[in-house]
Amino acid sequence: HGLSLCELTAKMILGAIRQKPDLIHCHDVLVLPLGVIVKLITRAKLVYDAHELESNRNGLSKFDGVLTLYFERLLWKFVDALIVVSPSIDPWYQNTIGPKLSLVILNSPLISKKTPYESDYLRKRFLIPADKRIFIYVGNLSSGRGIELLTQTFTHPSIASHLVFLGYGDLADDLKQLAMRYTNIHFHDAVPHADVVSIVQSADFGLCMIENVSLSDYYSLPNKIFEYCFAGIAVLASDFPDIRALISKYKIGKCSSLNHVAFFETVKLLEISNEKLEPLDLAPLSWQMQEQKLVGLYRVLFEN
């Protein structure tokens, strides 16, 4: 890993000297020091794109978190603009490290008009009866994602709905074994990102039960939420501030606590509910709108 970083640094510095960029867009804290070096060489504008609350995220040790925050503070004065992925992360950076021109850009999918999968794709693939509801989980299959809560609930004998896992991760093999034991649990291998929304649209509910294992998770707006709502299915997600505000504002689903009993009861209610999803205009959440915001930020930087 260290050698790869050395190679990346050498290649990027040489490339920057040749190309003389006007703007550098750092996509996480790992390359922020490199971005600062390139900025000093080329005098370009520097955008720090924090894909999470970088110093307090799932899987990061306390030491690594302190080290990450140290480097962010050390290099903060070189950053011309900050991009974050949810409204609550923005004030955290502003208050913890310092004021900075900033923008919230959501992790929305780029929607294609082509639909390579049939509207009943999941029912046909897994032989799910027409009268059974389909819940789908998309994304990283690892700890902190509420996987245990989902498996405990959907393996209960009184749950008639089916659960589909779509993704990859440390828990993939365990979930494949679980799918062999329970007829209402199914595993679908990961697909190209562009195909996710097409597959998701053949489910009834999208699950996003992120656990409160870090500030980054608590303040998160996972991209799976946007994949679900643009696929036209209702979202069932963790009752966290930014998630709750988004779901409430656009009427795209429901929130539930991570308590097993509360979540179980919510799933049971959704099984028998005939409520139709009637979301508000989702255009502000689209990637097309996020793209316009990003270009607008670039314009502001070059005007100053």
Side-chain angles (χ1 to χ4, degrees):
H1 187 63
L3 289 174
S4 296
L5 280 177
C6 291
E7 180 186 10
L8 174 66
T9 300
K11 288 183 176 180
M12 294 299 284
I13 290 176
L14 290 174
I17 292 172
R18 288 195 304 269
Q19 298 183 26
K20 297 181 176 59
D22 298 310
L23 183 140
I24 306 146
H25 192 126
C26 290
H27 276 276
D28 55 39
V29 68
L30 189 64
V31 292
L32 184 57
L34 173 56
V36 171
I37 294 172
V38 174
K39 174 187 172 75
L40 295 174
I41 293 173
T42 64
R43 297 185 179 181
K45 300 288 186 179
L46 176 62
V47 174
Y48 175 33
D49 191 346
H51 288 280
E52 298 187 63
L53 200 162
E54 295 285 352
S55 61
N56 195 324
R57 63 183 191 270
N58 187 17
L60 198 68
S61 69
K62 186 174 182 180
F63 173 78
D64 287 341
V66 170
L67 191 64
T68 298
L69 184 57
Y70 169 78
F71 276 107
E72 287 181 320
R73 283 177 165 151
L74 180 67
L75 304 175
W76 198 244
K77 62 182 178 181
F78 298 104
V79 173
D80 294 293
L82 169 71
I83 291 175
V84 295
V85 293
S86 70
S88 292
I89 291 179
D90 187 22
W92 187 94
Y93 271 102
Q94 306 285 350
N95 297 330
T96 305
I97 303 181
K100 190 68 61 178
L101 173 66
S102 62
L103 185 66
V104 177
I105 295 185
L106 305 174
N107 282 324
S108 298
L110 181 63
I111 305 299
S112 172
K113 293 182 179 179
K114 296 181 180 179
T115 306
Y117 297 89
E118 298 178 76
S119 60
D120 58 351
Y121 167 76
L122 290 174
R123 292 193 185 278
K124 287 183 176 180
R125 180 181 176 95
F126 297 114
L127 302 178
I128 300 173
D131 62 336
K132 304 300 182 185
R133 297 296 181 93
I134 302 175
F135 290 74
I136 189 168
Y137 171 94
V138 172
N140 195 339
L141 303 170
S142 59
S143 61
R145 309 283 175 164
I147 304 295
E148 183 179 357
L149 176 67
L150 302 185
T151 55
Q152 284 182 350
T153 299
F154 283 87
T155 55
H156 193 281
S158 70
I159 295 293
S161 297
H162 287 240
L163 171 61
V164 177
F165 288 102
L166 170 61
Y168 59 90
D170 297 337
L171 300 177
D173 289 339
D174 292 339
L175 293 172
K176 288 178 182 178
Q177 292 295 321
L178 196 68
M180 295 175 66
R181 291 166 46 203
Y182 292 89
T183 58
N184 69 323
I185 306 289
H186 312 283
F187 186 91
H188 194 300
D189 288 322
V191 298
H193 188 259
D195 292 348
V196 171
V197 172
S198 295
I199 291 178
V200 167
Q201 69 180 357
S202 59
D204 298 298
F205 302 98
L207 295 164
C208 181
M209 301 308 298
I210 301 295
E211 297 175 35
N212 186 10
V213 293
S214 70
L215 270 180
S216 184
D217 288 288
Y218 186 65
Y219 290 150
S220 67
L221 278 178
N223 58 341
K224 61 172 64 68
I225 290 180
F226 303 103
E227 290 166 343
Y228 297 153
C229 68
F230 280 105
I233 68 171
V235 179
L236 176 54
S238 306
D239 193 8
F240 294 165
D242 289 18
I243 292 176
R244 185 194 318 118
L246 183 81
I247 288 178
S248 176
K249 180 177 180 179
Y250 290 95
K251 303 184 185 303
I252 55 174
K254 296 183 181 297
C255 289
S256 170
S257 75
L258 296 168
N259 176 274
H260 176 69
V261 174
F263 180 71
F264 177 86
E265 291 177 351
T266 301
V267 171
K268 290 293 291 182
L269 286 173
L270 292 176
E271 278 191 331
I272 62 175
S273 173
N274 292 318
E275 182 180 350
K276 297 291 185 180
L277 182 65
E278 296 181 0
L280 300 181
D281 179 21
L282 299 178
L285 304 180
S286 67
W287 173 249
Q288 287 80 352
M289 186 62 70
Q290 309 312 306
E291 186 178 52
Q292 291 179 31
K293 289 161 58 178
L294 179 61
V295 172
L297 177 65
Y298 290 162
R299 288 199 181 102
V300 169
L301 287 173
F302 288 126
E303 288 171 358
N304 296 334

